[in-house]
Structures are given as structure tokens and as C-alpha cells.
Amino acid sequence: MLLIIISALVTIILFPQLVFANKMKYKNFKVCSNDKINHDIKIPLDNAIALVQRSELYDPGYKYNIILCHNTFYNKIDDILLGIGPAARARLNNVIIKVRIDPTDNLAFATFHKECKINLAYLLAHEMIHCLQAKKYGIMKFNPFRHPEFWKLEGYPEYISRKTQLSSKDHSLANEIERYSNLESKATDIWILLEEGGCEAPNYYYKGRLMIEYLMDIKHMSYDQILKDSVSETTIFKEMIKWKDSTKTKMVIDSVQ
């Protein structure tokens, strides 16, 4: 009997689409929910896939299950087995959205650590990249129990999901590094403020994104090269700070000439 229960739980966790009443197919997505599905979710899905297409991991034939499980029995099982925490998880080809969402306004409402608003398209894209990490490099190398260093694991999905913002003419990596350094120096725990919606995240999300951005946009490394690179996080971060300082100095010199 115990074996049957365990097998049932594993099946539900890995194939959650089986236990949701309502389903909507849209392009490369199957949206699953016990509530009526708001078709406005198509816009955040389109925006999310447009972000993911910028990744070297992008696979145009890959199919995603979007599991909307806020206030469901499945969500409670997920919390018990894997712990209460994130607004979303990625598992196999499943993007599991654990919090309330408003597709019309492109928002997800995180509650872990503190209540805040997250851009829904960003959240979807971040978790979709996690799905593609496991597909490209194998579930044995990308799973909750075995994975690369956190800055490599989370920094890359953050980098891709915020690519529109990072491509803006107003964006400055040097200024962002300085902002992070100022926030990190004042922090009393691991939580650090992100730039929108009042959300805080573990600092390795922000730090990791900055390091990935530096390695990819300044040093022109691929994600594959970053994963294989054995240079330590500390060494790369110090190098990035040195680059930031020289860049800021040059900006000051150019402004007075």
C-alpha cells in the first residue's frame, strides 16, 4: 500500500496536468487550472516566449505545461514534499505557478518572505529557462538536489527573463553593479530588493544576474562556456567590480571633457 501511495504522489508531482479539470492549448503551451482559465494569459505567454527565444537554450519545438495551482490540493502536496517558498517552480516541462495571478494586468502576487507584485511574463520566462536547462544538460545535473552554483543556476534565467529591460538604452550594467554593492553592504540577511513591485529575493538572484550579464555581454561568453568555466565566483565578482570602477571613472572623465 505504501508503495502505491508513493507511486501515486510521484506521478502527480511529475505529471500535474492529470489532476486539473480545465485545460487550454495555445501555441507551445498547455495551460492547466481548476478554475476557469482567463484567455488574457495568452499575452504574458507570448511575451515570455519572446524572451526565451533570446536564449541559446531555446527550442522552438519544446512544449510547456503551465500549471496554475494557487489554492489547490496539488499546491499543498507540492509544499509538503518540496517546501513552502517560491512563487513558481519548474519541473520537467511543467511551469508551476503557485501564487495568485492576474493575467490581464500581467501580474503574479508573491507571498513568500513578503507580499509583492511580480511581472507575470518575467516569472514565466524564468521558469521556462529552468525547464530548458534540464532539457539541455540533463535532469541529473539540473534538479533540486544537484545543480550548478546558485549564481549560475538562477543568474541565467534572471538574465534572460529581464532581457528587454537590460537592452534598454537607459540600462547601465556599471550602475546596476554599484546599486547591488550598496544594497548588499547594508543588508542584514540574504534578502535584497529587486527593482519592481517591492519584491525581495535571495541576493544570489540579483548578483547572479549581474555576473551572467557581465560574462555574456562584456566578455562575450556563452552560457555553455560559463557552466564549464572553473573560475571561482569570488574571482569573477572581484573582476566585475574592477571593470565597474574603471567604467565609472571613464564616464566621469568623458563627462568633463
Side-chain angles (χ1 to χ4, degrees):
M1 177 62 72
L2 179 61
L3 182 60
I4 293 174
I5 293 173
I6 292 173
S7 298
L9 287 174
V10 170
T11 300
I12 290 171
I13 285 294
L14 295 181
F15 304 100
Q17 65 273 22
L18 299 175
V19 298
F20 287 87
N22 298 313
K23 298 178 176 66
M24 180 190 78
K25 289 186 177 181
Y26 176 67
K27 296 183 178 179
N28 285 36
F29 303 100
K30 180 188 287 185
V31 182
C32 305
S33 174
N34 278 342
D35 298 322
K36 182 179 179 181
I37 298 171
N38 183 342
H39 283 225
D40 286 349
I41 198 172
K42 293 177 181 179
I43 297 174
L45 290 174
D46 283 338
N47 291 336
I49 202 67
L51 290 166
V52 173
Q53 285 174 347
R54 303 189 185 194
S55 167
E56 66 193 78
L57 305 182
Y58 174 64
D59 179 350
Y62 193 80
K63 307 291 186 181
Y64 304 87
N65 294 318
I66 309 299
I67 311 298
L68 307 179
C69 65
H70 179 59
N71 278 344
T72 66
F73 182 66
Y74 176 85
N75 208 7
K76 293 178 181 177
I77 293 175
D78 185 83
D79 286 344
I80 292 170
L81 295 180
L82 295 171
I84 298 172
R89 299 190 203 272
R91 194 155 50 240
L92 298 179
N93 66 327
N94 302 307
V95 173
I96 299 161
I97 306 297
K98 297 173 62 63
V99 297
R100 182 173 66 88
I101 66 170
D102 180 352
T104 305
D105 288 335
N106 189 35
L107 291 174
F109 300 92
T111 56
F112 185 58
H113 183 59
K114 63 180 295 187
E115 293 185 3
C116 64
K117 298 177 183 178
I118 305 174
N119 182 300
L120 178 57
Y122 286 5
L123 183 64
L124 289 164
H126 180 109
E127 300 304 329
M128 288 160 66
I129 290 294
H130 278 317
C131 292
L132 295 176
Q133 286 172 323
K135 176 185 179 294
K136 172 70 181 290
Y137 299 105
I139 193 66
M140 297 306 294
K141 293 182 178 180
F142 277 84
N143 64 70
F145 309 104
R146 184 183 180 190
H147 50 71
E149 298 169 85
F150 274 117
W151 73 268
K152 293 182 180 182
L153 173 70
E154 297 294 351
Y156 186 65
E158 282 291 283
Y159 170 76
I160 294 297
S161 66
R162 299 174 187 277
K163 203 72 173 76
T164 300
Q165 168 195 333
L166 305 186
S167 301
S168 166
K169 64 179 181 179
D170 297 325
H171 175 71
S172 165
L173 175 58
N175 287 343
E176 281 290 296
I177 295 170
E178 189 162 70
R179 176 182 185 269
Y180 169 80
S181 297
N182 290 335
L183 288 172
E184 197 268 344
S185 66
K186 299 173 185 175
T188 57
D189 53 26
I190 67 169
W191 298 94
I192 195 164
L193 182 67
L194 298 179
E195 57 275 339
E196 88 287 332
C199 287
E200 295 179 343
N203 63 4
Y204 53 78
Y205 278 74
Y206 194 0
K207 181 182 182 182
R209 190 262 286 172
L210 294 173
M211 292 174 67
I212 294 290
E213 185 179 356
Y214 169 71
L215 292 174
M216 298 193 80
D217 291 359
I218 305 303
K219 300 198 71 174
H220 306 293
M221 294 175 68
S222 68
Y223 185 55
D224 195 57
Q225 289 172 328
I226 292 169
L227 288 177
K228 294 175 181 176
D229 190 24
S230 60
V231 178
S232 72
E233 175 183 347
T234 300
T235 299
I236 294 171
F237 187 74
K238 288 180 178 178
E239 177 186 312
M240 185 176 74
I241 293 295
K242 185 177 180 180
W243 171 85
K244 182 267 294 183
D245 290 341
S246 65
T247 300
K248 298 287 283 186
T249 299
K250 183 178 183 302
M251 290 169 62
V252 171
I253 292 173
D254 290 345
S255 68
V256 298
Q257 287 180 343

